[in-house]
Amino acid sequence: MNPKLKLTLTHYLNSTNSTSITFNVPTPHSNSVPFLKTKHFLRFLIRSFFSDFNETVSTRFLHVRHLGLFCLAQNGRARANGLLSYITAYKQQVCAPAVGQFTSKRALCTDKEDKMASMDERFAFIAEWYDANAALIRRYQFLFYTKDNTIEMFDIKNRRVFLKRSKCEGIELRDVFIGASVSIHSRQLKFVDYADDFTRKRLSTRKERTLAMVKPCSTDKVGHIIDMIFSDGLHITKAIMTKVSRAEAQEFYRMHEQKPFYDELVRYLTSGIVIPMELMGENAIQRWRQLAGPTDSAIARSEAPLSVRAKFGKDKQTNAVHGADSPENAERELNFFFAGAPKPNTATLVDCTCCVIKPHAVLAGHAGKIIVAIQEAGFTISALQMFNMDRANAEEFYEVYKGVVAEYTDMVTELISGPSIALEVTGKGGETPASFREFVGPADPEIARHLRPRTLRAIFGTDKIKNAVHCTDLPEDGVLETEYFFRILSQ
Ligand code: CMP
C-alpha cells in the first residue's frame, strides 16, 4: 500500500479571509516518491497551487499544515519546513544511533576524562541542529568546560570531532540547559538531553523549574514583575498571555475545592487575562515563592515589602501572582499550561503592530524594562509569548529584508540565538504601527543615541543587529507580522 500524508495549505490573505485546500502527498517511505523527490514534489505542488499568487504584495504568508506542523511562504515561494521536519524526524528515528551506542574514544567519558573533569569541570549535553539544506536534524555531543568557558563538539552520527575545543564568545554555563537554544558559528543548537550522569546529577538540581503566573489584576505590571524575576537571577523559559475558562480554573485550583473562597477564586482567575511563565533556576520553586511574598498582600507589605505581592497585590485573593508550592504542583501546573495543545493566545490582530524583544535583550535582562517602557508610553500589550525561533522561521520572517539590508544574515543569526518575546502592540488605533515605530527609534542604536536618546533602541540597543527590538516597518504589515507569531508560530 502506498501511504499518504494529508497536507492542508492555507493561504492567509488577511486575518478574516483565508482559503485552504487539502492534498494527499506520498510519505517519505513511499517507494514511488523517494525522500528527496518528496521535497521537490511538495515545492512544485505549492508553487502550482499558488501560481495566481500576487507577487507584488510585499508580505504575504502562506500556511502549510500537516499534523500540527507548518511551513510558510512569502511572495509566492513556499518552504516545506513543516513536512520536512516530519520527514526529518522520521529519518532520525530510523537512522540515528542511540546515544548509548556511540563509541568514539574522544567523545565518550573515559576514566581519564573523568579525572580531568575534577580539575576542569566538563558538562556534556546532547544538542540538535536542524540542517535545512540536507533536511536533517544533526545530533552532537556538546561539551562545556567551566575552567575557561570553552566548548567542544562531536558529530554523533559520523563519529568525529565537529568543533575542536575553543572559546565561544557570549556563552556561559548558565545559558546551557535542556530546552535552551544557542547559536554556535551560525548554527542554532538546541539542547535536548544530558549526555552523561555527571552533568545530569550536577545540573538537574540547579535547573529546577516552577510555574509563576501573573494574575488578572496585575497584567499591566508584567514588565515590572519580569524585571524582578530577572533581577533575582531566575530565567524565564516559557511565557504566554492567555485566558482560562471556568473549567480550567476549577481544575487548576482543585486543591482548594473545599475552601470557602474557592468559587470566588475561580471567578477571579477567569475575570481577565493571565500570564503563566515557566521559571528556571537553582531552587526556583522556593525562590519564586519568596519573591512573590506572603499570600495576603497586606501581610506582604509589612513582612516582605520588596516582594511582588507587597508592591502589586491588593488583598488575600487579589494578590498579583501565583507560585507553585511544591515540586509535584510545579510539574502539574507547568503541564497544565505548557504541555499538550498550545493554550490560545490573546492576539486581536486588529490595528496592531508586532514587536519582538530580541534574544540579546532577553538574555541581558532588559525584557521587563522594555515592556514597562512600552506600557508607560501609552501602548497596550494585547498578546505576549516567548519563542525560540529556528533558522527557517527567522529567514522567513525577515525575508522582506533579504537582498535589501546588508545585515540580513546577521539579523537572522541574532533572532535564533536564544529566546525572544513577541508582543502584539495596540492602543493607538490605526496609528499604532507608525507611532510605535517612532517610539522604538532608528534601527541603528548609535544613531538613535545621537538623534533620539529616549527611544527603546537608544537605551537598550548595542548595534544595528543587537538593536533591542524588531518592530514592523510598514503599517500595512502590522497585522501580517503579528499573525506570523500569534497565529502561525504559536501553533
Ligand atoms: P495563589 O498563590 O494563587 O494560591 C491560591 C490562591 O487562593 C491564593 O494565591 C489566593 O489568591 C487565594 N486565597 C488564599 N487564601 C485566601 C483567603 N483566605 N481568602 C481569599 N482568597 C484566598
Side-chain angles (χ1 to χ4, degrees):
M1 208 184 90
N2 191 7
K4 306 268 186 194
L5 295 178
K6 234 187 187 180
L7 178 77
T8 303
L9 305 184
T10 304
H11 175 190
Y12 286 119
L13 292 170
N14 58 43
S15 54
T16 52
N17 177 7
S18 66
T19 55
S20 71
I21 189 166
T22 301
F23 298 98
N24 279 333
V25 181
T27 56
H29 44 289
S30 150
N31 289 336
S32 60
V33 186
F35 163 66
L36 275 174
K37 283 197 184 150
T38 303
K39 178 172 152 185
H40 296 308
F41 171 61
L42 186 68
R43 287 211 167 120
F44 163 73
L45 196 67
I46 291 165
R47 272 202 213 105
S48 14
F49 174 50
F50 293 113
S51 58
D52 62 342
F53 193 67
N54 179 2
E55 302 232 3
T56 60
V57 179
S58 66
T59 316
R60 283 280 186 265
F61 297 120
L62 307 182
H63 187 189
V64 180
R65 280 186 131 286
H66 161 65
L67 301 175
L69 301 168
F70 60 85
C71 76
L72 295 157
Q74 263 183 310
N75 299 337
R77 273 174 293 136
R79 286 197 190 131
N81 300 328
L83 188 74
L84 292 184
S85 330
Y86 170 82
I87 293 166
T88 305
Y90 163 79
K91 283 188 79 184
Q92 185 80 10
Q93 248 178 0
V94 176
C95 315
V99 172
Q101 293 166 4
F102 183 40
T103 53
S104 159
K105 256 198 210 159
R106 298 241 11 221
L108 281 181
C109 188
T110 61
D111 286 353
K112 195 172 143 211
E113 282 167 327
D114 269 346
K115 277 182 203 135
M116 272 177 63
S118 61
M119 296 178 283
D120 175 11
E121 272 188 340
R122 189 201 73 171
F123 295 95
F125 297 84
I126 302 297
E128 288 184 350
W129 168 58
Y130 177 66
D131 179 348
N133 289 331
L136 268 179
I137 293 176
R138 301 196 184 278
R139 281 164 78 84
Y140 302 94
Q141 192 179 48
F142 178 99
L143 306 177
F144 186 93
Y145 297 87
T146 51
K147 192 172 161 191
D148 51 4
N149 273 11
T150 51
I151 63 168
E152 191 174 17
M153 288 170 65
F154 299 91
D155 183 325
I156 292 177
K157 185 158 182 246
N158 297 316
R159 302 178 178 198
R160 61 171 182 239
V161 177
F162 176 75
L163 179 70
K164 282 194 195 154
R165 183 169 170 177
S166 51
K167 268 239 173 281
C168 194
E169 284 310 319
I171 295 193
E172 294 175 28
L173 188 58
R174 73 194 294 263
D175 304 320
V176 186
F177 52 86
I178 308 302
S181 295
V182 296
S183 187
I184 309 275
H185 299 304
S186 295
R187 284 180 167 78
Q188 188 197 20
L189 298 178
K190 181 160 186 183
F191 300 105
V192 294
D193 203 354
Y194 300 110
D196 62 23
D197 281 347
F198 169 77
T199 308
R200 189 182 306 277
K201 276 188 203 135
R202 283 291 304 277
L203 296 191
S204 50
T205 51
R206 286 180 40 169
K207 304 297 176 193
E208 191 172 77
R209 286 161 202 263
T210 191
L211 180 92
M213 178 171 62
V214 180
K215 294 185 178 181
C217 59
S218 50
T219 48
D220 61 334
K221 298 291 185 299
V222 62
H224 293 286
I225 296 170
I226 288 177
D227 201 36
M228 288 173 80
I229 291 170
F230 184 84
S231 301
D232 198 66
L234 289 163
H235 283 279
I236 299 173
T237 42
K238 288 176 188 155
I240 183 171
M241 187 181 274
T242 187
K243 277 195 99 164
V244 288
S245 67
R246 192 174 149 73
E248 286 173 325
Q250 284 171 329
E251 169 61 17
F252 185 79
Y253 278 132
R254 68 165 189 243
M255 71 291 271
H256 299 300
E257 204 170 353
Q258 305 306 327
K259 309 254 174 71
F261 55 81
Y262 177 68
D263 284 343
E264 190 49 31
L265 185 59
V266 167
R267 197 204 54 72
Y268 168 48
L269 201 69
T270 52
S271 66
I273 52 178
V274 292
I275 307 172
M277 296 180 276
E278 180 184 76
L279 306 188
M280 199 198 67
E282 193 161 2
N283 208 8
I285 297 173
Q286 182 54 30
R287 272 167 68 193
W288 168 238
R289 281 185 71 75
Q290 197 157 350
L291 185 61
T295 301
D296 188 333
S297 308
I299 297 179
R301 275 185 274 280
S302 59
E303 291 181 3
L306 298 180
S307 65
V308 178
R309 284 166 173 162
K311 289 185 180 178
F312 307 120
K314 202 172 114 205
D315 50 35
K316 252 186 214 161
Q317 181 185 268
T318 311
N319 59 356
V321 289
H322 167 81
D325 58 5
S326 65
E328 298 70 37
N329 277 340
E331 194 183 343
R332 183 184 76 83
E333 292 173 8
L334 286 170
N335 286 340
F336 184 90
F337 283 111
F338 297 113
K343 285 273 176 274
N345 59 61
T346 52
T348 61
L349 306 175
V350 177
D351 284 342
C352 58
T353 196
C354 178
C355 171
V356 184
I357 304 177
K358 294 189 176 185
H360 79 91
V362 174
L363 292 173
H366 297 324
K369 290 187 176 73
I370 289 173
I371 291 170
V372 169
I374 292 172
Q375 290 178 322
E376 285 182 351
F379 295 98
T380 304
I381 293 175
S382 42
L384 174 157
Q385 192 166 346
M386 181 172 259
F387 291 92
N388 279 290
M389 301 271 283
D390 64 24
R391 182 168 287 277
N393 295 143
E395 284 178 351
E396 204 76 60
F397 182 67
Y398 278 147
E399 192 155 5
V400 281
Y401 300 102
K402 194 173 179 178
V404 177
V405 176
E407 294 83 11
Y408 167 76
T409 308
D410 292 337
M411 284 161 65
V412 168
T413 303
E414 163 56 25
L415 198 55
I416 64 174
S417 65
S420 50
I421 299 177
L423 309 173
E424 179 192 66
V425 178
T426 50
K428 308 223 171 176
E431 294 304 307
T432 303
S435 171
F436 189 71
R437 200 164 170 68
E438 178 94 359
F439 168 71
V440 161
D444 184 343
E446 274 307 316
I447 295 175
R449 280 189 272 276
H450 281 102
L451 300 183
R452 314 264 318 282
R454 293 162 68 88
T455 56
L456 278 189
R457 284 171 173 157
I459 299 167
F460 299 107
T462 308
D463 56 35
K464 270 162 107 175
I465 312 300
K466 295 182 194 294
N467 61 356
V469 296
H470 163 83
C471 80
T472 309
D473 274 326
L474 303 172
E476 59 268 33
D477 284 344
V479 172
L480 288 161
E481 288 199 1
T482 311
E483 265 188 342
Y484 183 88
F485 279 95
F486 292 100
R487 192 166 169 184
I488 298 173
L489 286 192
S490 65
Q491 294 172 18

